[in-house]
Amino acid sequence: MTNVIDVFTHFLPPKYLETLRNLAGKDVLTGRNSWMNNILLTNIEERLGHINQHSKEIISNVSLFPEMYLSGKEQILSLYKKANLELSEIVSLHSDRFLGCVANIPLNDVDGALEIINEQVNQNDVIVGIQIYTPIDNENKQYLEINLDKVFEKMNEIGKPIWLHPIFNTDRLDNNITFSWEYELTLMMQSIIDKQYFNKYPDLKIIVHHAGAMVPYFAERIRYIQGENKLKSFQNFYVDTALLGNTQAIELAISFFGISHVLFGTDAPLGILPFGPTDTIIKTINETRLSPSDKRKIFVDNWFTKIF
């Protein structure tokens, strides 16, 4: 019996990784990417052996971008399509452990992104949405500098959600994975609010990693500095529970976004080595003051009633 749907887990498709290495002419899992040298990210048999027996995962590709190593848009688009297909095949082969997967799209190529959405996301029930990141190409442009209205409009039209994931802003020399990702994620949320995407696209669903980053903690600063309307707009986001524990922080996120906008998500297999934080986060949610029915909303029901 499935007791938990984990909406935010990661994988690195091994065929995609091999192809990117060959095209780049070097090992791409070094330096800042060295954390991806995790066997549970690339070896499906190892991964299956460590998935919580009561959970089904939704997997998304880790933040290894071909744009960082290649320049041809057609080549990059082809790689993304192959990576998405590889993820969907893994889900189909192991549907007892995986509920679906999330497609990556080239956000420096809006036409290519729309091509993936039309050809893969909209035509494949296994692919349940798309993932976008905070900086979006090797020039480190923020997404507001490129018009993504058509991408958000299309996702609103087809009714599938967008996963929002942070990465480092290489313009900042003092990046660290503890705080910098949450800052970048918060700025991205602010950008989405400033663009009024929730007003333009009322059926838009965006799932934000790490429980909405800084937003719940600074809710009253948002209220008094940006106003009540923007505060309410921030509450349109859905968020996961990937905080590596911390009952009070989970309760704060629930208090701000509302019980119907919080979904169980862990970042597995990352965060707590060697197998990820799934058991820790399940324990954290069970230690909250929520009723059993509200806990079930986070663990399972919100996915089916609010998202998909």
Side-chain angles (χ1 to χ4, degrees):
M1 185 176 92
T2 299
N3 297 327
V4 169
I5 294 171
D6 192 337
V7 305
F8 226 129
T9 72
H10 297 296
F11 198 70
L12 179 53
K15 293 178 185 177
Y16 164 71
L17 174 60
E18 181 182 6
T19 302
L20 183 57
R21 278 173 165 158
N22 290 337
L23 291 173
K26 62 179 179 180
D27 187 355
V28 294
L29 301 189
T30 58
R32 189 164 281 160
N33 292 335
S34 61
W35 59 269
M36 297 182 196
N37 287 295
N38 180 332
I39 192 170
L40 298 186
L41 281 176
T42 54
N43 186 310
I44 189 61
E45 296 304 323
E46 287 286 338
R47 178 64 168 270
L48 293 172
H50 296 289
I51 293 177
N52 183 292
Q53 62 177 333
H54 298 298
S55 74
K56 292 185 86 169
E57 294 184 354
I58 296 169
I59 50 174
S60 58
N61 205 342
V62 296
S63 50
L64 184 63
F65 308 110
E67 295 97 319
M68 301 298 292
Y69 308 97
L70 309 172
S71 57
K73 283 190 176 182
E74 289 186 6
Q75 189 179 51
I76 291 168
L77 179 61
S78 176
L79 268 179
Y80 273 122
K81 287 183 177 181
K82 289 176 181 177
N84 296 337
L85 181 60
E86 190 176 351
L87 276 183
S88 69
E89 289 172 346
I90 289 169
V91 170
S92 296
L93 285 171
H94 304 286
S95 58
D96 57 327
R97 309 311 301 134
F98 299 116
L99 187 65
C101 65
V102 182
N104 273 10
I105 59 175
L107 292 182
N108 66 342
D109 176 8
V110 174
D111 290 338
L114 291 172
E115 190 174 316
I116 285 177
I117 294 169
N118 286 317
E119 293 180 3
Q120 292 188 311
V121 182
N122 199 28
Q123 302 296 325
N124 189 339
D125 290 340
V126 169
I127 300 179
V128 295
I130 64 170
Q131 182 168 230
I132 62 176
Y133 297 87
T134 43
I136 63 172
D137 64 15
N138 61 341
E139 295 175 3
N140 208 50
K141 294 175 182 175
Q142 294 295 325
Y143 93 107
L144 280 178
E145 297 177 36
I146 297 176
N147 190 345
L148 290 183
D149 274 33
K150 291 181 180 179
V151 170
F152 282 81
E153 181 181 18
K154 188 65 181 180
M155 295 308 293
N156 179 76
E157 176 189 322
I158 70 174
K160 289 188 176 183
I162 296 169
W163 274 250
L164 184 57
H165 192 286
I167 59 172
F168 289 117
N169 183 339
T170 54
D171 285 344
R172 307 186 211 282
L173 300 179
D174 55 350
N175 282 316
N176 67 76
I177 202 165
T178 307
F179 298 113
S180 301
W181 278 21
E182 308 316 318
Y183 177 68
E184 299 301 328
L185 196 54
T186 304
L187 291 184
M188 185 72 158
M189 295 170 74
Q190 179 75 67
S191 297
I192 289 169
I193 297 302
D194 290 342
K195 290 282 282 188
Q196 299 185 11
Y197 278 141
F198 290 119
N199 295 328
K200 292 180 181 178
Y201 314 120
D203 296 323
L204 187 64
K205 292 170 284 192
I206 302 175
I207 302 171
V208 182
H209 214 6
H210 306 307
M214 297 163 60
V215 170
Y217 191 81
F218 290 101
E220 294 308 299
R221 289 186 62 79
I222 297 170
R223 183 194 306 276
Y224 289 109
I225 295 172
Q226 299 189 32
E228 200 74 31
N229 288 338
K230 283 199 173 180
L231 179 72
K232 289 179 180 177
S233 290
F234 273 102
Q235 293 174 317
N236 284 303
F237 289 105
Y238 291 85
V239 300
D240 73 2
T241 57
L243 291 174
L244 306 183
N246 196 334
T247 300
Q248 291 86 356
I250 293 290
E251 289 178 337
L252 181 62
I254 294 166
S255 175
F256 180 77
F257 292 104
I259 190 66
S260 65
H261 276 235
V262 179
L263 303 120
F264 181 76
T266 66
D267 218 6
L270 307 170
I272 299 178
L273 297 176
F275 308 128
T278 304
D279 291 341
T280 297
I281 297 176
I282 290 174
K283 180 175 181 289
T284 297
I285 294 170
N286 282 328
E287 289 175 348
T288 65
R289 295 165 288 182
L290 296 172
S291 67
S293 63
D294 279 349
K295 290 174 184 176
R296 180 174 173 81
K297 288 177 182 176
I298 292 173
F299 283 133
V300 178
D301 291 348
N302 284 342
W303 172 257
F304 293 111
T305 62
K306 301 296 181 180
I307 301 294
F308 210 77

